Amino acid sequence: MTNKKRKDTFGNGLIAFLFICMIFLMGYAFKNPILLYSTNPEVEINHEYDPKTNIQQVFYHSDSSVQVSSDIDTKRVGNYTVTYQIKDYKKTCTVSVKDTKAPKLKVKTYTTDLKEDVKPNSFVESVEDDSKVTLSFKNKVTKDEKQTVTIIAKDAYGNCTMKDTTLTLKKDIEKPVISTDPIHVYTDSKPNYKSYIEVTNNLDLNPKIKIDSSKVKTKKEGTYKLTVTATDRSGNKAKKKISVVVEEPAKVVYLTFDDGPSENTDKVLKILKKYDAKAAFFVTGNNQKYNDSIRKAEKQGNTIALHTYTHDYATVYSSTEAYFNDLQQISDMVKQITGKAPKYIRFPGGSSNMVSANYSQGIMSKLDSMVHERGYEYFDWNCSSGDAASNSVPAQTIVDNSTNCNYDQIMLLFHDSSPKTSTVEALPAIIENYKNRGYVFKAISDDTPIFHHGVNN
């Protein structure tokens, strides 16, 4: 066979081979239309990742025809499956979210006394990482006056950073310094004196503080003395007497809740306790499965007062006799729970209500004098939360309504029935607002100013 024939035969064979390969590849691409860059891409934790960036080529279809589904959570280390689909064809890959970067650690020098159990975090100015970091010493701290220590910052996945710094130890002979600024508290309050007292120390940032307030009488206005003793861990001790001025508050909010008890009452009590605030609950007989909340409220230092047993206007205001029969029922109920028959009341609708005229003309004028003759005192309000407008008043609206009052003495009306969940939601912001404006929160007592609207029927 001549060279020419050999070349022709080889060339034809190569062409045939390439043609067969091309046909095979076209068939393979037709059956496998999605080509990925990697079957196991890796992603650094907390870095954004778009699974579509792993698509290298799409055959016989547009890129937009590929549907991608995944359960990737780049905030957590782990392996996640990504599925790419075109019609009935599916292809998967496993994305590995990893933490491969060591913590960023910045250290500082530290000086302390001979008594402190020195911890690694005392030397750390800042540490940053995408997972939880554990701090430790490379070597044990000694009693040397000056020494180099190595801080190790190790993240949850074993990545470490080490930095050297200096520890200085010295004998502490300085006493703590106690501020002697007078403390001002209100009558009937239960002050946390420790929150008022400032103690500084050169090396021990948390000296032990002992307070003797036995000579302070918060029930009565006056100036008293409490004794503060501060002792640091080296045994240095300081002792000071600090004046406590007990005075009547100039600005008071009386929080009042009508129509309870309900499933919301315990939630209200929890908020009041958190803010050391007191309130008055004008209760009814309509939801007696929650009557234990009345006992809890009274035990917590709140005032239990009477609203109405039935809260049915047609019954309550049909006659003065009907009113006092209803009032006696709710009084008996409360006495059974607390052991006391309250003498503070609130008329359904307030003393200025006009709805009573639908059932008995002039009844409010009669009741105004009759309740006093029987030893009761009634309280209306001079500020309203507006939560009676509907069962779904937004919490922010209640906050706005409730904090839009500027009297020195505020009696604020809320409702404690079952639907008033937004009232509970709004209460913390209302209390914080008035506290920031210098108000205190007191329960109704014999010393409470009288809040009367004025009778209209």
Side-chain angles (χ1 to χ4, degrees):
M1 183 181 291
T2 64
N3 288 336
K4 184 176 182 306
K5 287 183 178 180
R6 287 194 187 96
K7 289 179 180 178
D8 290 344
T9 300
F10 177 76
N12 291 335
L14 180 61
I15 291 170
F17 175 75
L18 293 175
F19 180 75
I20 291 170
C21 288
M22 185 176 69
I23 295 298
F24 173 79
L25 290 173
M26 290 175 66
Y28 180 82
F30 184 78
K31 291 183 178 180
N32 302 273
I34 301 173
L35 178 64
L36 302 178
Y37 283 108
S38 172
T39 58
N40 185 206
E42 295 183 355
V43 181
E44 189 68 21
I45 189 172
N46 288 331
H47 284 218
E48 291 185 7
Y49 178 71
D50 182 358
K52 288 186 177 180
T53 60
N54 192 35
I55 300 174
Q56 183 175 356
Q57 185 69 49
V58 178
F59 302 103
Y60 304 113
H61 298 275
S62 65
D63 291 352
S64 61
S65 64
V66 181
Q67 294 181 333
V68 182
S69 60
S70 73
D71 60 352
I72 297 175
D73 182 358
T74 58
K75 298 184 186 306
R76 297 180 62 185
V77 168
N79 295 321
Y80 302 90
T81 300
V82 179
T83 301
Y84 302 88
Q85 184 171 356
I86 296 179
K87 295 184 178 179
D88 294 331
Y89 173 78
K90 292 182 180 180
K91 190 164 190 174
T92 62
C93 74
T94 301
V95 176
S96 298
V97 177
K98 297 184 175 182
D99 185 346
T100 62
K101 294 182 179 180
K104 294 179 181 179
L105 176 65
K106 190 174 182 180
V107 296
K108 60 185 178 181
T109 60
Y110 187 61
T111 300
T112 188
D113 55 57
L114 301 173
K115 299 289 185 179
E116 182 180 358
D117 181 16
V118 182
K119 303 294 184 184
N121 59 298
S122 298
F123 301 86
V124 175
E125 189 169 307
S126 65
V127 60
E128 297 177 14
D129 194 74
D130 290 321
S131 65
K132 185 178 179 180
V133 175
T134 303
L135 300 169
S136 62
F137 292 116
K138 183 179 180 182
N139 299 307
K140 190 176 180 180
V141 173
T142 68
K143 294 297 182 181
D144 294 341
E145 183 178 330
K146 200 162 192 174
Q147 56 192 287
T148 299
V149 294
T150 303
I151 309 300
I152 302 173
K154 184 178 181 180
D155 70 18
Y157 303 99
N159 304 300
C160 291
T161 299
M162 291 191 292
K163 290 284 183 71
D164 290 341
T165 185
T166 302
L167 169 63
T168 302
L169 301 177
K170 65 180 186 178
K171 187 176 181 180
D172 184 8
I173 59 173
E174 292 186 28
K175 294 180 180 180
V177 177
I178 304 171
S179 171
T180 57
D181 293 340
I183 297 170
H184 291 262
V185 300
Y186 294 119
T187 53
D188 294 324
S189 64
K190 295 179 180 178
N192 175 12
Y193 292 113
K194 194 170 183 178
S195 66
Y196 292 91
I197 295 167
E198 182 181 352
V199 178
T200 56
N201 189 253
N202 60 328
L203 295 176
D204 183 359
L205 299 181
N206 295 292
K208 292 181 180 179
I209 299 173
K210 184 179 178 181
I211 300 171
D212 180 3
S213 60
S214 60
K215 295 184 178 180
V216 179
K217 310 299 180 186
T218 57
K219 292 289 184 183
K220 185 179 180 181
E221 287 185 278
T223 300
Y224 306 89
K225 294 285 186 181
L226 62 74
T227 303
V228 179
T229 304
T231 308
D232 66 23
R233 60 176 164 250
S234 296
N236 302 302
K237 183 183 290 187
K239 192 172 184 179
K240 293 284 184 181
K241 290 188 180 294
I242 299 176
S243 295
V244 178
V245 180
V246 180
E247 53 198 353
E248 285 288 340
K251 302 196 319 184
V252 181
V253 175
Y254 298 92
L255 303 171
T256 67
F257 295 86
D258 288 5
D259 298 353
S262 73
E263 57 264 47
N264 292 321
T265 310
D266 281 0
K267 298 174 186 176
V268 170
L269 292 175
K270 188 174 181 180
I271 294 169
L272 295 175
K273 187 173 182 179
K274 176 183 177 181
Y275 289 99
D276 190 26
K278 298 295 184 285
F281 292 84
F282 290 89
V283 300
T284 74
N286 285 336
N287 218 351
Q288 296 188 29
K289 64 180 178 179
Y290 296 107
N291 274 4
D292 191 54
S293 294
I294 296 176
R295 181 190 58 78
K296 291 178 185 177
E298 195 264 346
K299 189 175 181 180
Q300 194 171 302
N302 301 289
T303 296
I304 305 303
L306 308 177
H307 192 32
T308 170
Y309 189 79
T310 63
H311 213 294
D312 178 60
Y313 284 74
T315 299
V316 172
Y317 289 134
S318 61
S319 67
T320 57
E321 182 182 2
Y323 174 82
F324 283 107
N325 285 340
D326 180 277
L327 188 64
Q328 189 61 52
Q329 281 184 281
I330 188 63
S331 178
D332 291 344
M333 187 191 86
V334 172
K335 186 176 181 179
Q336 188 176 8
I337 297 167
T338 67
K340 303 172 186 176
K343 292 300 180 183
Y344 307 133
I345 66 175
R346 175 169 286 162
F347 293 116
S351 66
S352 61
N353 82 82
M354 291 294 293
V355 69
S356 58
N358 296 329
Y359 311 107
S360 181
Q361 283 290 334
I363 189 172
M364 294 312 302
S365 297
K366 296 174 185 176
L367 291 176
D368 177 67
S369 59
M370 291 177 73
V371 293
H372 289 121
E373 290 168 3
R374 299 193 185 199
Y376 294 100
E377 183 54 76
Y378 71 86
F379 290 89
D380 292 316
W381 57 91
N382 63 351
C383 187
S384 175
S385 66
D387 64 354
S390 74
N391 288 333
S392 57
V393 179
Q396 189 56 53
T397 301
I398 295 173
V399 172
D400 293 342
N401 290 338
S402 300
T403 56
N404 191 31
C405 299
N406 294 303
Y407 312 111
D408 285 345
Q409 304 286 314
I410 296 172
M411 187 156 286
L412 181 49
L413 173 65
F414 296 102
H415 291 83
D416 182 28
S417 55
S418 299
K420 305 302 182 182
T421 55
S422 57
T423 298
V424 178
E425 184 183 344
L427 189 56
I430 295 167
I431 294 175
E432 288 174 8
N433 178 284
Y434 279 112
K435 274 184 174 286
N436 291 336
R437 290 159 58 186
Y439 285 84
V440 298
F441 297 85
K442 300 180 75 171
I444 290 175
S445 69
D446 290 345
D447 297 326
T448 302
I450 305 301
F451 292 81
H452 287 176
H453 287 166
V455 174
N456 291 318
N457 176 32

